[in-house]
Amino acid sequence: MNQAIGDTAAIKFAEGFYDGLGYGRSYAEAFEFGLLSIEAEGIPEAQTPELRVNGDPPVGWVKPPAPDDHRQPPPVGEPTTPNNHPVQTPPAIKQQRVFISYKRDTAPDEPVALQLHDALRQDSTVFIDQRMLVGTRWAEQIEAEIRQADALVVLLSAQAVASEMVQQEIALAHKIAEENGGTPRILPVRVAYRAPFQYPLSVYLDPINWAVWDSDADTPELIEELRQAIAGGTLSVGDPQRKAEVVEVPEPTPLPPPQPAAQPIKAAPPVGILELPEGTMDTESAFYIERDCDAVALSTIQRQGVTITIKGPRQMGKSSLLNRTMTAAAEAGKQVAFLDFQLFDRAALQDADEFYQQFCFWLTDELELEDKVEEYWNRPLGNSQRCSRYVSRHILKSLDQPLVLAMDEVERIFDTPFRNDFFSMLRSWHNQRATKKIWKRLDLTLVTSTEPYQLIADLNQSPFNVGENLRLEDFSPAQVHTLNEKHGQPLNKLEEQRLMQLVNGHPYLVRKALYLVASGRLTAQELFASAREETGPFGDHLKYHLFRMYGNKALVQGFLRILKDQTCEDELLYFRLHGAGLVGREGQCVLPRCQLYADYFKEHLL
């Protein structure tokens, strides 16, 4: 320590340093973990620890000036040439840091990842999550490693593209690269996977180059290709024609018969297509479960000049319902423009001028109209006025059909300084339908996982308390039974009840459980026995939530309070946890959304 250090900082440094050594990292890397631990506590003492290596000069040592006789010996310990001149050490070449993202406990993903790790670490500092125990320290190190990385090598198999943690690591790397001028570079490797990337991966991966691995015979060539890419080169699959040759639309997979341990109760399995329960569902999906909200949304969108708000926690099926609503609108002769607010970059969310202009340009591009944003912005008006004039005088007047403006994940601008202005603008568009005919040609459909009154201070200026407000709920026991039948009844009646007790009708977790058992990947007994384990059927989903939560101490403390005494006094904190799909209310009590969450987070947060 270069000066006295406080007890808390010393303890945090020691924790980070010895964690690093425990993970098998070098002394220098463990030292950096120690500094990060101090910084994570917000303590201004991260400059106090120093790493001293054998042979370093003492602190404060200054090399004496050279005497007139150049043949005098140099300072003790300094290497010399035969003429007693100090050796000129060439500048060190910065070793690249590489993060390998992959789906654990999956073949061929993990074997390929380990081979890449062993080969690439000869030239680079390589991180791979192999020995880390799940917990908030695990989540902290994952983010720290991605932030320090020069390249993120991501292995993308059919299993990996459906992994929430792999998706989150790619999204985090993309976000950090936007902040850091392109670092880390994302280097995708298709691992025996030729299907098109689905949203949101398509947004991150389609514009950049890929590598391809199909069998063990490709491993040596892949290693060399990655070495060159890490050093600044590019991966081999880049131009559109080559990508088109690589991508293959997969044939649908027949639904396999249930395993002997879970025989159907009477009816034979239906003929259908087994669907991986990830992302927005196809409008023709045989596994879609209609809820009361569906009929309301589909009938409302048939009318002219409507506003629809779809609310619900994460992974409730909001985007799938929005997709079906947009399809119904198109079939009714309306034009549809879809804007996902997750795709607004950080700069736009910090600058109102940039946000409104991006909003207008994006809408123009979606409709393939002439861009006149700059023309309308050269007016002495506020952003909301410019945007409103642009939509009414350019967008709506240029279209021959009514327009449905569908906006997903609008809570993305929750923390922006202009959120009230933007939502007030949308409310004004709704109100102006009563007096200006042009606005009757615009339908608004908004999707949010946050309670609308948390998004805008003045409810009289909110677009969320007008029109149709639809709240999606978890599946009922009857809906779980229907979905079980659609999968060929892989669970018997008692197992259906046990699944409801475990996940409380959580749509995504119900679908995943039925998919795994119906496809023969697990028996029902194995599903329930390993449900709470890191390597179990829901491990990836649970780790994703833990990873998202760890950086926000208020969220962690709020969730711990809920686990302990079923209360949450901070209403804003409650709505953030509810929007993430982690908690809900029952009367005056605030509870974890399901027993699976309660058990898992008690183990890893308490």
Side-chain angles (χ1 to χ4, degrees):
M1 303 297 162
N2 57 37
Q3 60 185 21
I5 188 169
D7 287 350
T8 302
I11 291 168
K12 291 300 174 183
F13 175 81
E15 288 176 352
F17 180 77
Y18 287 108
D19 276 352
L21 295 183
Y23 297 143
R25 310 312 294 269
S26 68
Y27 292 120
E29 290 170 321
F31 177 77
E32 293 297 326
F33 288 165
L35 300 185
L36 286 171
S37 295
I38 296 176
E39 291 174 352
E41 291 296 312
I43 304 172
E45 295 185 76
Q47 301 301 318
T48 302
E50 291 183 349
L51 180 64
R52 294 279 300 281
V53 180
N54 219 17
D56 283 355
V59 175
W61 180 83
V62 178
K63 181 179 178 179
D68 292 337
D69 182 1
H70 71 275
R71 294 166 63 87
Q72 290 292 321
V76 174
E78 184 171 312
T80 63
T81 66
N83 292 323
N84 275 343
H85 290 297
V87 171
Q88 297 297 314
T89 305
I93 298 174
K94 178 180 178 293
Q95 193 173 50
Q96 297 291 293
R97 299 182 70 97
V98 178
F99 185 107
I100 297 179
S101 174
Y102 70 106
K103 181 77 170 71
R104 288 181 62 176
D105 304 306
T106 301
D109 307 53
E110 187 160 0
V112 174
L114 293 175
Q115 291 179 69
L116 293 179
H117 171 261
D118 291 343
L120 297 178
R121 68 178 180 174
Q122 299 175 24
D123 311 302
S124 306
T125 300
V126 183
F127 175 84
I128 186 170
D129 179 5
Q130 268 285 298
R131 291 180 289 176
M132 296 171 61
L133 296 176
V134 172
T136 52
R137 302 290 299 179
W138 159 84
E140 180 179 334
Q141 191 189 355
I142 290 292
E143 178 162 348
E145 289 288 348
I146 293 177
R147 287 193 175 278
Q148 295 178 73
D150 297 292
L152 179 132
V153 174
V154 54
L155 304 186
L156 297 160
S157 65
Q159 293 78 21
V161 295
S163 163
E164 292 177 87
M165 271 308 301
V166 171
Q167 291 180 16
Q168 178 60 22
E169 287 167 355
I170 293 172
L172 178 60
H174 179 82
K175 174 186 172 184
I176 294 170
E178 283 187 332
E179 300 169 356
N180 294 344
T183 303
R185 296 173 59 214
I186 300 176
L187 304 177
V189 180
R190 286 177 169 272
V191 178
Y193 179 71
R194 297 299 186 100
F197 292 126
Q198 300 300 310
Y199 177 86
L201 289 184
S202 58
V203 175
Y204 305 128
L205 305 180
D206 282 354
I208 61 180
N209 286 31
W210 316 325
V212 175
W213 181 98
D214 287 318
S215 67
D216 290 336
D218 298 325
T219 302
E221 184 177 343
L222 174 62
I223 291 170
E224 186 56 36
E225 185 175 352
L226 287 172
R227 277 188 174 136
Q228 294 180 19
I230 292 166
T234 59
L235 297 178
S236 57
V237 182
D239 65 87
Q241 182 177 351
R242 177 72 178 109
K243 285 185 174 181
E245 294 171 355
V246 167
V247 173
E248 301 171 357
V249 178
E251 292 294 326
T253 304
L255 181 67
Q259 296 296 299
Q263 292 294 332
I265 302 175
K266 295 184 183 177
V271 176
I273 304 301
L274 192 62
E275 292 180 2
L276 194 65
E278 300 290 346
T280 304
M281 298 181 71
D282 189 277
T283 55
E284 302 298 324
S285 171
F287 297 92
Y288 187 82
I289 297 295
E290 290 191 1
R291 288 168 273 189
D292 293 341
C293 292
D294 286 69
V296 177
L298 299 183
S299 62
T300 300
I301 203 64
Q302 304 297 320
R303 305 199 303 266
Q304 187 172 354
V306 297
T307 299
I308 301 173
T309 298
I310 301 173
K311 299 177 290 186
R314 181 176 179 269
Q315 293 182 320
M316 284 292 293
K318 301 184 301 296
S319 296
S320 295
L321 177 54
L322 176 63
N323 197 24
R324 293 167 72 85
T325 304
M326 291 191 294
T327 300
E331 292 172 350
K334 298 183 179 183
Q335 194 151 352
V336 178
F338 172 67
L339 306 184
D340 185 340
F341 279 40
Q342 290 185 100
L343 300 184
F344 278 108
D345 57 37
R346 178 178 294 269
L349 296 175
Q350 295 173 342
D351 186 315
D353 283 343
E354 187 166 348
F355 172 82
Y356 280 93
Q357 289 182 67
Q358 273 195 25
F359 177 86
C360 289
F361 176 79
W362 191 5
L363 179 56
T364 306
D365 186 63
E366 283 289 306
L367 297 169
E368 298 182 359
L369 296 175
E370 181 183 358
D371 173 24
K372 292 188 177 181
V373 174
E374 187 174 346
E375 175 185 333
Y376 276 79
W377 243 255
N378 290 328
R379 308 287 175 90
L381 298 170
N383 284 313
S384 295
Q385 293 169 303
R386 293 167 177 160
C387 187
S388 296
R389 285 165 62 91
Y390 187 82
V391 171
S392 63
R393 300 188 183 187
H394 176 51
I395 298 291
L396 295 178
K397 285 186 177 180
S398 299
L399 298 175
D400 297 327
Q401 305 161 278
L403 172 64
V404 176
L405 175 51
M407 293 170 280
D408 202 358
E409 304 280 356
V410 295
E411 69 272 12
R412 181 80 165 87
I413 62 173
F414 180 89
D415 293 319
T416 66
F418 50 82
R419 70 176 183 189
N420 285 341
D421 292 337
F422 178 75
F423 290 127
S424 296
M425 179 187 73
L426 296 184
R427 173 63 176 263
S428 76
W429 294 357
H430 171 90
N431 292 342
Q432 288 186 74
R433 294 177 186 140
T435 57
K436 296 183 179 180
K437 188 175 180 179
I438 190 70
W439 288 105
K440 291 182 179 180
R441 304 185 65 217
L442 176 67
D443 297 330
L444 298 174
T445 305
L446 303 100
V447 175
T448 175
S449 62
T450 304
E451 278 299 311
Y453 72 77
Q454 291 292 324
L455 294 176
I456 185 166
D458 186 352
L459 292 182
N460 293 320
Q461 297 180 351
S462 170
F464 300 107
N465 58 355
V466 293
E468 290 289 351
N469 281 268
L470 310 177
R471 181 189 297 276
L472 291 179
E473 304 289 350
D474 286 324
F475 288 159
S476 66
Q479 290 167 331
V480 171
H481 178 71
T482 298
L483 192 57
N484 187 32
E485 288 183 327
K486 288 176 178 286
H487 282 80
Q489 293 182 288
L491 302 184
N492 61 37
K493 188 174 182 179
L494 290 177
E495 289 162 347
E496 274 186 25
Q497 295 172 356
R498 191 174 178 186
L499 181 61
M500 276 296 297
Q501 292 170 357
L502 180 67
V503 303
N504 198 29
H506 187 307
Y508 169 74
L509 296 179
V510 169
R511 288 186 63 217
K512 184 157 191 177
L514 292 173
Y515 169 83
L516 291 172
V517 180
S519 64
R521 299 190 181 194
L522 291 174
T523 65
Q525 291 82 354
E526 290 169 337
L527 174 83
F528 293 118
S530 60
R532 298 161 181 81
E533 296 177 6
E534 176 189 345
T535 57
F538 308 122
D540 197 64
H541 172 84
L542 296 168
K543 287 192 295 180
Y544 167 86
H545 277 298
L546 187 66
F547 183 77
R548 295 278 293 183
M549 193 189 304
Y550 98 91
N552 190 318
K553 290 185 179 179
L555 283 182
V556 173
Q557 294 304 316
F559 198 34
L560 286 173
R561 179 78 178 270
I562 291 168
L563 288 170
K564 289 179 180 178
D565 57 25
Q566 302 180 351
T567 61
C568 183
E569 297 176 357
D570 186 332
E571 197 69 0
L572 180 58
L573 192 62
Y574 167 78
F575 282 118
R576 288 189 179 277
L577 289 168
H578 179 265
L582 292 171
V583 303
R585 275 203 172 102
E586 289 187 14
Q588 298 300 312
C589 295
V590 179
L591 303 170
R593 185 173 174 185
C594 60
Q595 191 61 45
L596 176 67
Y597 287 174
D599 295 343
Y600 179 82
F601 289 109
K602 278 179 183 176
E603 179 181 351
H604 293 290
L605 291 181
L606 288 177

